[in-house]
Amino acid sequence: MSLEQEPEVSVDREALHHEIRVKYQEVARHPDGTFHFFTGRRAAEQCGYPPEALTGLPDRVVEAFAGVANPFHWGMPQSGEKVVDIGSGAGLDSIIAARCVGPDGEVVGVDMTAEMLQRSRRSAREMGLHPRLEFRQGFAEELPLPDGWADLVISNGVFNLVPDKQAAFREVMRVLRPGGRLQAGDICVERPVPESAKRDIDLWTG
């Protein structure tokens, strides 16, 4: 993965984090609401999640899903692996990963929205996945994990919301063990984005 130096996006990071929190607080509280993105089981199916990955999951685990793709398209976590889920949200990807790694593995979901963490932690307890599945508050640019901890990092629709993508990917590389892997689904643009658009927080959050 190349991390050539690029200019940092000139957006107010704290203001952006606040607006993203507000958006995903609403998803956590009212997952059946109207948003500019799809949510729930139907959205997961449209993103390519195989039926067996969703089988047996309670509605509360799936209903607040707000991803953009299927990070498991490139393969499922293996038994005994350690997995980090950046921007874990309501916990769907983390829970799928926890079921894959089994009792000898560990999964840590990282999210910055308290309401999403409350939802995901409750689901982990109710499904009997704690303590091998844990959810921590944090940011993609400052992951609350030690160096070289993870075999696999997954993320779903999060890097596009991070203004300092260089910092986020450096964190991915820091927490991955040598030979570890990243599987991410996200939204990408193929043309340069005007600086005025980069400063417009409403365009970041939709």
Side-chain angles (χ1 to χ4, degrees), residues 9-181:
V9 176
S10 54
V11 65
D12 185 327
R13 182 172 180 262
E14 293 303 318
L16 178 59
H17 283 169
H18 171 74
E19 292 301 321
I20 291 172
R21 281 196 189 96
V22 169
K23 178 74 69 176
Y24 288 96
Q25 283 171 357
E26 190 65 18
V27 176
R29 293 169 177 168
H30 306 288
D32 58 348
T34 300
F35 305 98
H36 71 277
F37 45 80
F38 297 113
T39 59
R41 190 175 297 270
R42 183 180 178 186
E45 292 171 348
Q46 290 176 335
C47 285
Y49 284 76
E52 59 270 21
L54 304 176
T55 299
L57 294 181
D59 286 342
R60 65 167 290 104
V61 173
V62 189
E63 63 186 0
F65 169 79
V68 301
N70 172 19
F72 303 112
H73 171 80
W74 296 275
M76 304 301 287
Q78 300 301 302
S79 177
E81 287 193 318
K82 294 181 177 180
V83 181
V84 179
D85 182 6
I86 300 177
S88 50
L92 175 62
D93 291 332
S94 295
I95 287 170
I96 291 174
R99 297 203 300 185
C100 289
V101 303
D104 294 328
E106 296 180 62
V107 178
V108 175
V110 179
D111 204 273
M112 67 177 183
T113 304
E115 286 78 2
M116 283 295 188
L117 289 167
Q118 291 170 2
R119 175 180 280 267
S120 59
R121 287 166 176 165
R122 177 181 170 186
S123 296
R125 289 194 301 270
E126 291 178 352
M127 294 183 69
L129 294 172
H130 188 77
R132 75 172 183 261
L133 172 57
E134 177 186 355
F135 292 95
R136 301 178 185 176
Q137 189 157 22
F139 300 98
E141 308 97 318
E142 302 170 17
L143 295 174
L145 288 147
D147 296 355
W149 184 85
D151 299 290
L152 171 65
V153 172
I154 58 174
S155 185
N156 196 341
V158 173
F159 291 123
N160 73 91
L161 297 174
V162 177
D164 190 349
K165 293 173 176 50
Q166 295 288 331
F169 282 108
R170 286 193 184 96
E171 279 293 273
V172 170
M173 296 177 71
R174 180 185 67 78
V175 302
L176 277 174
R177 66 165 177 78
R181 59 202 190 279

